[in-house]
Amino acid sequence: MLRSFHSIGQSFGKSKAIFSLAIISLGLFSLSSLGRASKDDEKQISSQIFVELAKTAVPSVVNISTLSTIKSPVGPAPGSPDELFRRFFEDFFGQGGAGGGRSGESEEDQPPRPRRKKRRALPKAVALGTGFIIDSSGLILTNNHVVAGADQIKIAFTEDPTETPTDGSVVGRDADLDIALIQVKTKKVLAAIKLGDSDALQVGEYVMAVGNPFAQGHSVTHGIISAKGRFAPDFPLVTYLQTDAPINPGNSGGPLVNLKGEVIGINNAIEARAQGIGFAIPINVVKNILPQLKTKGYVDRGFLGVLVGNLNPEVAEKLNAPKDLKAPYVSDVSPDGPAAKAGIQPYDIVTEFNGKKVHTNGELTAEVTAVPVGKTTKMKILRDGKEKTISLQVGKRPTPEEGKKKEKPKRETGPSHINTGMSLTNLTPGLRQRLELPKNTKGVLVREIDPMGAAAQSGLTAGDVIVEVERKPVESVNGFYAVVKQKKSYLLRVRRMGGDGREGYLVIILDLSKAQPETESDTDNDEGPDEDE
């Protein structure tokens, strides 16, 4: 699993998060233009390339500041670090403090003043970020977290202290990708920057990041593309560009440009535990959603209606696939989804989607969500060791709100259960047939295992069928957790296929004495968790 990303956009004034850092990415540079130059030419070019690049990119970059009202009336305690920071920023930015009674007196101690109905002002949060102009009509791209929840958006085009910031408004936003499109109306002549091709990037290419770090105004840093195809837990619908170009708070939403002066990424995140590890949203992903942001203000994404996990050697062997195959497999299918209508079944192994090979559940997610809703495409799968090509029509991905209303198919759990370190699923006729189980087999299937969890330490493995708990038959996931709900040891009877293909039964002690409670959303603990496509 990829290391956790940390938000890096610069924010002031919020209790407990005075400097709430927003997500920041990196810049890329392409050396292809230097490929045929002589050594003398290369020296001259190398000494001037970033000078010329800055002249090209900086005029299109804007500084974004937002003002948001903190809804909670509870503020930091007087004299606390948060309160000291609040006072500092009020003095620095010229913001007024909250109103109230005389020092040392509570409202109950003060005499009534009926003519003074002024209420205590709610605190304000100031956040700083970066954006860049993509159209001379005043369209600006930035990160959604830079402007999320903002009451006011101000755009500064230069570092001129006499410049009056221009009001901005959100045209469209995509919280799943962390992208926002802003519109400004101004008489200024705006310089739009060209959007490049992030798919053409190669690891090792030079890039430059432009932003507004720590409110220092237009600043540039440079580095290389360190890697491609990185994943972030908070934004699973896209793979990131990794760069070592220095990124700092306030750079969120700024452009990462190649040596041609084209934007190939949007600065979005950093690895807070390290130096020189930053991430950018590939610009091609953004270009795909721009038309929807401009016309609708939101984004509809592709959806299959399946749960997928990452193949491992043990599961691959059971599914008659090569042990070293790297690919996602289908662990569940929504009965009414596009995949079910096309004939996709649990345990199908997906090797290719829409003409592109996929090696992980994250790559499949990214490919599916990039396909326009309603488009008919093809998916290559392995089923029982045989390759098949299936045509299907991509559906519309549910919104987070819609997803919460729908229960995940055949993933039956209680509202809260103890952490066993494994994911379970009910046995269905289809699963019994695929696993070559007798029709009368009852129990719950161990779908995935957390290698560091209690189940793995007790000896359970993926593919086991738990048939009894505490000497009582178990027939469903809910039935299992109706018994297994305390921090203690449980006696399990488990059906397991042997290496010679013969079935066997084991008695295993599941020790949960150190387990922690978890909710349904936390049940997937495997390093390659299922994802809903």
Side-chain angles (χ1 to χ4, degrees), residues 85 97 114 129 145 156 159 317 326 365 408 420 423-424 447 514:
F85 274 117
H145 72 262
E159 295 183 43
E317 184 178 12
K326 302 294 183 184
T365 299
K408 293 182 178 180
T420 59
S423 294
L424 304 175
R447 186 164 53 88
K514 298 181 180 180

Side-chain angles (χ1 to χ4, degrees), residues 263-292:
V263 178
I264 45 78
I266 300 179
N267 299 332
N268 184 251
I270 61 170
E271 173 53 75
R273 298 170 296 178
Q275 292 183 343
I277 300 180
F279 303 90
I281 302 169
I283 200 63
N284 284 13
V285 178
V286 180
K287 288 194 292 186
N288 288 338
I289 67 169
L290 265 180
Q292 294 190 66

Side-chain angles (χ1 to χ4, degrees), residues 177-259:
L177 194 58
D178 198 21
I179 294 295
L181 183 65
I182 297 174
Q183 175 75 63
V184 293
K185 295 182 179 180
T186 178
K187 295 181 179 180
K188 294 183 175 68
V189 178
L190 302 180
I193 192 168
K194 184 178 179 181
L195 304 184
D197 181 4
S198 53
D199 289 343
L201 283 171
Q202 298 185 56
V203 173
E205 286 192 31
Y206 278 113
V207 291
M208 184 176 76
V210 189
N212 177 30
F214 290 105
Q216 294 299 310
H218 294 77
S219 300
V220 301
T221 58
H222 70 82
I224 63 170
I225 294 297
S226 304
K228 298 173 64 177
R230 296 301 194 201
F231 289 94
D234 293 337
F235 301 99
L237 303 186
V238 64
T239 59
Y240 283 75
L241 303 172
Q242 180 183 331
T243 181
D244 67 350
I247 303 295
N248 292 288
N251 281 76
S252 282
L256 187 65
V257 301
N258 60 19
L259 292 186

Side-chain angles (χ1 to χ4, degrees), residues 221-497:
T221 58
H222 70 82
I224 63 170
I225 294 297
S226 304
K228 298 173 64 177
R230 296 301 194 201
F231 289 94
D234 293 337
F235 301 99
L237 303 186
V238 64
T239 59
Y240 283 75
L241 303 172
Q242 180 183 331
T243 181
D244 67 350
I247 303 295
N248 292 288
N251 281 76
S252 282
L256 187 65
V257 301
N258 60 19
L259 292 186
K260 299 177 182 179
E262 302 167 338
V263 178
I264 45 78
I266 300 179
N267 299 332
N268 184 251
I270 61 170
E271 173 53 75
R273 298 170 296 178
Q275 292 183 343
I277 300 180
F279 303 90
I281 302 169
I283 200 63
N284 284 13
V285 178
V286 180
K287 288 194 292 186
N288 288 338
I289 67 169
L290 265 180
Q292 294 190 66
L293 291 181
K294 291 178 180 178
T295 58
K296 298 188 300 184
Y298 60 91
V299 177
D300 288 330
R301 285 194 164 84
F303 178 71
L304 295 184
V306 296
L307 294 173
V308 291
N310 288 324
L311 203 63
N312 59 45
E314 292 77 16
V315 175
E317 184 178 12
K318 289 183 177 293
L319 300 182
N320 297 320
K323 289 186 177 181
D324 59 350
L325 179 63
K326 302 294 183 184
Y329 70 92
V330 177
S331 61
D332 207 1
V333 181
S334 175
D336 301 322
K341 295 176 181 178
I344 298 297
Q345 301 175 10
Y347 291 100
D348 284 343
I349 299 172
V350 183
T351 59
E352 186 175 303
F353 184 83
N354 197 33
K356 293 186 178 180
K357 293 186 180 299
V358 291
H359 304 93
T360 66
N361 52 17
E363 289 182 2
L364 179 59
T365 299
E367 294 301 330
V368 171
T369 56
V371 175
V373 175
K375 177 181 177 180
T376 298
T377 187
K378 293 184 178 181
M379 181 165 70
K380 289 186 178 181
I381 63 170
L382 281 178
R383 180 181 295 171
D384 295 324
K386 298 179 181 179
E387 186 175 87
K388 293 179 176 287
T389 299
I390 294 179
S391 295
L392 51 78
Q393 186 178 46
V394 177
K396 177 183 174 182
R397 186 179 184 87
T399 64
E401 292 75 17
E402 293 170 340
K404 291 178 181 178
K405 295 178 182 178
K406 294 183 179 180
E407 294 184 1
K408 293 182 178 180
K410 294 180 284 184
R411 296 187 64 186
E412 191 179 318
T413 63
S416 178
H417 62 71
I418 197 165
N419 186 346
T420 59
M422 60 182 170
S423 294
L424 304 175
T425 191
N426 294 325
L427 283 179
T428 63
L431 278 178
R432 292 188 184 95
Q433 182 179 1
R434 295 298 301 276
L435 297 174
E436 298 181 352
L437 298 174
K439 293 182 179 180
N440 61 349
T441 301
K442 296 181 180 181
V444 291
L445 178 68
V446 178
R447 186 164 53 88
E448 291 183 320
I449 288 282
D450 177 359
M452 303 302 293
Q457 294 177 14
S458 298
L460 287 163
T461 65
D464 285 345
V465 177
I466 301 173
V467 296
E468 290 183 1
V469 180
E470 295 294 301
R471 300 188 179 185
K472 296 180 180 180
V474 58
E475 299 183 5
S476 68
V477 175
N478 278 346
F480 177 87
Y481 284 113
V483 178
V484 181
K485 55 186 177 182
Q486 297 178 3
K487 294 183 179 181
K488 66 175 188 178
S489 296
Y490 293 88
L491 180 69
L492 306 182
R493 187 166 178 259
V494 178
R495 180 191 183 280
R496 179 181 294 174
M497 293 297 293

